[in-house]
Amino acid sequence: MKARRIYRKYSDPSFPLHVMRYAPMRIMSNFGHIHWHPEPELLYATAGEYEIYDEKGSFHLHTGEVCLIPTGKAHAIRSLSTNGEYWCISFSMELISMSDNHFFQQQLAGPMKAGSLILPDKIRPSDQAAKDLDAIIHGTRDQQFIGLMSFWLEMLPHCKLNPKTHQLNHSHGAVEACIRYMDVNYSSHITLAQLAAHVHLHPNYLCAIFKQHSGQTILDYLNTLRIRKARQLLNR
């Protein structure tokens, strides 16, 4: 069966967090529809037992456990008991994103968004992580945000980087950061040394990966950007 994409609509786009309670009343013989979405998702079993399907196979989720579903991963769930309860928590990566040089962004949010962070299939949360989940489910908006950030910091020791994809995605992220910098500061004098310092890379290496990812040299991109901006001003 082909997995279909779920488009998540948040009730408040300025706070893209979605929390939904599910209460299966019967044992399900089949999985629900197989789907994926670009947001990470937490499935928190507060009562009952479930079987989770993913691209590698299936595994059981017991009461008190959390299934960690990364971005873009096909999955489905079915209930193995009656009178169960689980919570589905999903959120846009923009909600937990920080500046490029922030520890949280470099160690968790950035690799998670890029798909280079390997998450455990499931975990039994510590007392603190369980409190964080309760805050996400039942708390005010401020409590939800703090709970979400705290929960992922608790999960960080249980995650690991895929070295191959992380190196590739890190290079791509450095190029994107350079492009954002030039898009904002194109009218100023920009040097290669400034760009390299901005992304903490050697200038020669930055030139190489920029050409590899964008198909242009840094100077060509900057000149094209300035010409495009000048045309936009003339057309006003």
Side-chain angles (χ1 to χ4, degrees), residues 28 30-35 43 50-53 61 75-79 86:
M28 300 168 62
N30 297 313
F31 286 105
H33 61 274
I34 302 173
H35 65 282
L43 298 176
Y50 305 88
E51 185 175 8
I52 308 295
Y53 163 88
L61 186 70
H75 59 281
I77 185 170
R78 72 185 184 99
S79 177
Y86 69 93

Side-chain angles (χ1 to χ4, degrees), residues 37-218:
H37 30 74
E39 306 92 352
E41 185 175 58
L42 307 175
L43 298 176
Y44 182 30
T46 49
E49 183 179 357
Y50 305 88
E51 185 175 8
I52 308 295
Y53 163 88
D54 66 14
E55 298 158 346
K56 297 181 294 184
S58 64
F59 56 91
H60 285 195
L61 186 70
H62 303 92
T63 299
E65 295 180 332
V66 184
C67 176
L68 310 177
I69 300 175
T71 60
K73 188 174 186 178
H75 59 281
I77 185 170
R78 72 185 184 99
S79 177
L80 300 178
S81 55
T82 59
N83 299 318
E85 179 187 71
Y86 69 93
W87 293 84
C88 172
I89 302 168
S90 60
F91 57 93
S92 168
M93 287 301 304
E94 300 306 317
L95 185 60
I96 65 170
S97 294
M98 301 290 178
S99 60
D100 292 333
N101 60 351
H102 194 283
F103 163 82
F104 189 86
Q105 185 70 18
Q106 293 179 350
Q107 298 297 316
L108 195 140
M112 190 190 304
K113 184 176 182 180
S116 58
L117 191 70
I118 302 175
L119 307 177
D121 289 329
K122 67 174 184 177
I123 194 166
R124 181 168 290 276
S126 64
D127 290 343
Q128 178 56 53
K131 290 179 182 178
D132 295 333
L133 289 167
D134 186 65
I136 297 170
I137 293 170
H138 301 292
T140 63
R141 178 171 294 188
D142 288 345
Q143 291 169 335
Q144 287 180 316
F145 178 74
I146 293 171
L148 186 64
M149 299 294 285
S150 178
F151 175 82
W152 282 109
L153 284 174
E154 286 280 324
M155 292 301 103
L156 188 55
H158 304 283
C159 305
K160 60 182 180 179
L161 290 173
N162 184 326
K164 292 182 180 179
T165 57
H166 178 63
Q167 183 176 9
L168 179 63
N169 290 323
H170 177 71
S171 298
H172 183 69
V175 171
E176 288 186 334
C178 283
I179 289 175
R180 289 195 299 271
Y181 183 88
M182 289 187 282
D183 285 347
V184 172
N185 301 285
Y186 67 92
S187 60
S188 304
H189 179 64
I190 300 176
T191 67
L192 176 60
Q194 286 175 326
L195 288 173
H198 181 65
V199 294
H200 310 290
L201 293 176
H202 190 279
N204 292 343
Y205 180 65
L206 176 59
C207 287
I209 64 172
F210 193 96
K211 180 66 178 294
Q212 178 184 358
H213 284 276
S214 70
Q216 294 179 286
T217 66
I218 292 175

Side-chain angles (χ1 to χ4, degrees), residues 17-35:
L17 175 71
H18 179 82
V19 179
M20 181 67 72
R21 174 181 178 267
Y22 294 90
M25 302 298 293
R26 60 184 177 85
I27 296 175
M28 300 168 62
S29 58
N30 297 313
F31 286 105
H33 61 274
I34 302 173
H35 65 282

